[in-house]
Amino acid sequence: MARRSPSPGPGPRRPPPPARPPLALLLLAAAAAALLPTGDGQNLFTEDVTVVEGDVATISCRVKNNDDSVIQLLNPNRQTIYFRDFRPLKDSRFQLVNFSNSELRVSLTNVSISDEGRYFCQLYTDPPQEIFMTITVLVPPRNLVIDIQKDTAVEGEEIELNCTAMASRPATTIKWFKGSKELKGKSEVEQWSDMYTVTSQISLTVRREDDGVPVVCEVDHPAVKDLQTKRYLDVMYKPQIRVSQLLPASGLTREGDLLDLLCQVEGKPEPTDTTWFRVDEEMPPHVIVSGSNLHISSLNKSDNGTYRCEASNEVGKAFVDYMLYVYDPLTTLPPPTTTIIIPFTTADSRAGEESAITAVDHAVIGGVVAVVVFAMLCLLIILGRYFARHKGTYFTHEAKGADDAADADTAIINAEGGQNNSEEKKEYFI
């Protein structure tokens, strides 16, 4: 921020001294006043400086419309650093950068906190002008450290992480990130002399997905950019199991088929024990278990049941059930098949198997209904043909007497007799 001295003007009247000073003192004051040029129209300017500890600060005293008046720079202790282009102060960190009638510019190297304060620019006019500028020293954090409550956590545990930024000036703002997601922490500030130490804390409930994820502590401070440190989470979790049906590829298991199941296990630490067994029953003798694979060469109805894959590590134990239901062999007209989805949990595996069985039962019921309808249609056709044939035979017998007559009159007489018989037959038939 630039500062400007007020325009010089006539000084205020001094009150008369209570006693007349010695003549020698009056002569000395008159000689000093004669050496000071008038300052009409001259203005003094300077600017505040903010610098990081250890860097270089540049102090500038500038004069507008200078008439060869003397420029002087003083430190916060009012000691003269430069008088024109001469340096009375023995501190060699101050070096002259530029000197002219309009500017005195000085550099200060290797700035420390002790250099902070007000520096004064003076212009020897009548009356003298003075203006000050302030050097502010920024100190970045000395150390940035993350402390974690546990180096290795178990899934579901809550852990605390602390990030400490020590000896900064001004106080540091700390931000937390887990992966790319920003987290909210709680900060505490401690002040030691002119320095500040900031500690920020977060709490996390870890999951298996957090294993290997970086937790980042980042500093927001005017003296430094992109300062951060990180810790990678180490999370242990019990086994996670998945059972896949490799054969038969169609998913529907029938008598005579080859069954091949694969039990895939993942956990931290690595599961040490993976086993297959049949729930509540003995494993059939023709079942072959090889590591994580279960193999049945030729399925039959006696293989129906629940087969369990179980694994364990230091954290705990887990299992997944596979429900096997063996269907009849495939016929010439196979019923619609339904692909069985291999589940990942016990409850889902049973539900998926039951849904597959229900779908097949519906197909069988539909086939039975179709057969019944077909049989009824066939029965109706047979009955229709039977009634049609029976009716034709009846009318043939009715005219049988006329066929045997020798002449027309006899045929008519016989036909009439036949009609009478016909009526009797009708009554009898009814």
Side-chain angles (χ1 to χ4, degrees):
M1 177 179 179
R3 287 192 170 86
R4 177 178 177 179
S5 64
S7 298
R13 291 177 177 267
R14 295 183 179 179
R20 188 178 182 86
L23 179 58
L25 186 57
L26 290 175
L27 292 174
L28 183 59
L35 295 175
L36 294 175
T38 59
D40 294 340
Q42 298 182 82
N43 292 304
L44 194 58
F45 300 90
T46 189
E47 293 178 347
D48 291 338
V49 175
T50 299
V51 62
V52 177
E53 184 183 33
D55 287 354
V56 179
T58 301
I59 307 169
S60 178
C61 299
R62 300 189 302 275
V63 182
K64 182 179 179 182
N65 301 325
N66 191 9
D67 56 358
D68 293 333
S69 299
V70 176
I71 306 174
Q72 181 176 230
L73 177 63
L74 290 80
N75 67 10
N77 297 323
R78 307 292 296 191
Q79 296 171 327
T80 301
I81 301 173
Y82 268 91
F83 183 86
R84 297 177 66 91
D85 57 351
F86 174 68
R87 175 168 59 85
L89 194 66
K90 300 304 181 183
D91 191 343
S92 61
R93 296 181 302 145
F94 290 97
Q95 295 294 324
L96 184 65
V97 177
N98 181 49
F99 172 73
S100 66
N101 290 335
S102 60
E103 182 183 37
L104 173 61
R105 190 190 311 167
V106 177
S107 66
L108 172 60
T109 58
N110 194 22
V111 177
S112 65
I113 294 180
S114 61
D115 298 320
E116 192 173 71
R118 288 183 175 182
Y119 289 74
F120 301 91
C121 295
Q122 288 184 345
L123 183 64
Y124 280 85
T125 59
D126 185 16
Q129 298 181 48
E130 182 178 284
I131 191 171
F132 70 88
M133 54 83 65
T134 302
I135 290 183
T136 302
V137 180
L138 305 178
V139 181
R142 306 290 185 188
N143 293 300
L144 191 61
V145 180
I146 293 181
D147 293 323
I148 191 168
Q149 184 181 13
K150 287 185 175 181
D151 291 333
T152 301
V154 177
E155 181 181 19
E157 281 188 339
E158 184 177 81
I159 60 173
E160 291 182 357
L161 292 92
N162 294 279
C163 183
T164 303
M166 294 182 285
S168 65
R169 191 167 186 261
T172 297
T173 300
I174 294 178
K175 296 181 180 179
W176 287 97
F177 296 89
K178 187 181 78 170
S180 59
K181 181 181 179 182
E182 185 172 359
L183 306 176
K184 186 177 181 181
K186 182 180 179 181
S187 297
E188 295 182 357
V189 181
E190 296 182 12
Q191 183 175 359
W192 300 90
S193 184
D194 292 333
M195 297 295 186
Y196 298 89
T197 296
V198 180
T199 301
S200 181
Q201 183 183 87
I202 59 170
S203 296
L204 292 176
T205 301
V206 294
R207 302 174 298 172
R208 64 182 63 198
E209 294 83 3
D210 295 328
D211 184 48
V213 174
V215 176
V216 179
C217 172
E218 184 177 280
V219 163
D220 184 8
H221 193 274
V224 67
K225 292 183 179 180
D226 301 326
L227 177 61
Q228 63 179 29
T229 185
K230 64 179 67 175
R231 289 286 297 268
Y232 290 90
L233 296 176
D234 187 9
V235 182
M236 295 196 306
Y237 49 91
K238 67 181 182 179
Q240 184 176 12
I241 303 175
R242 175 180 177 180
V243 173
S244 301
Q245 179 179 309
L246 304 180
L247 292 173
S250 62
L252 195 63
T253 50
R254 298 182 178 277
E255 282 191 284
D257 284 349
L258 173 66
L259 178 66
D260 198 359
L261 301 179
L262 173 63
C263 182
Q264 296 171 296
V265 181
E266 178 185 0
K268 188 175 180 180
E270 191 72 23
T272 56
D273 187 18
T274 303
T275 57
W276 277 100
F277 59 92
R278 192 177 185 184
V279 179
D280 298 332
E281 295 182 71
E282 295 242 352
M283 190 77 85
H286 57 282
V287 174
I288 300 174
V289 176
S290 176
S292 59
N293 288 80
L294 184 144
H295 182 84
I296 302 178
S297 58
S298 181
L299 291 172
N300 57 65
K301 296 285 186 178
S302 64
D303 296 326
N304 288 342
T306 301
Y307 294 81
R308 176 172 294 177
C309 176
E310 186 176 88
S312 61
N313 61 8
E314 295 178 13
V315 180
K317 181 186 297 185
F319 66 88
V320 166
D321 289 341
Y322 176 86
M323 184 175 290
L324 174 63
Y325 184 84
V326 181
Y327 296 93
D328 294 330
L330 189 65
T331 58
T332 305
L333 297 175
T337 60
T338 302
T339 302
I340 299 177
I341 301 175
I342 304 304
F344 304 118
T345 61
T346 304
D348 291 343
S349 65
R350 292 173 178 170
E353 196 66 36
E354 290 175 0
S355 63
I357 296 171
T358 304
V360 175
D361 290 343
H362 289 169
V364 173
I365 292 173
V368 172
V369 172
V371 171
V372 172
V373 171
F374 178 76
M376 292 181 66
L377 290 174
C378 293
L379 180 61
L380 290 175
I381 292 171
I382 294 172
L383 289 176
R385 289 180 61 84
Y386 171 77
F387 284 125
R389 182 177 296 178
H390 183 75
K391 185 175 181 180
T393 305
Y394 170 75
F395 283 116
T396 301
H397 287 298
E398 183 179 3
K400 187 179 291 185
D403 292 339
D404 297 334
D407 52 19
D409 294 334
T410 306
I412 292 171
I413 293 171
N414 291 340
E416 291 175 355
Q419 290 175 358
N420 294 333
N421 293 334
S422 173
E423 291 176 358
E424 292 177 0
K425 290 177 180 179
K426 286 180 181 178
E427 291 176 0
Y428 176 76
F429 180 76
I430 291 172

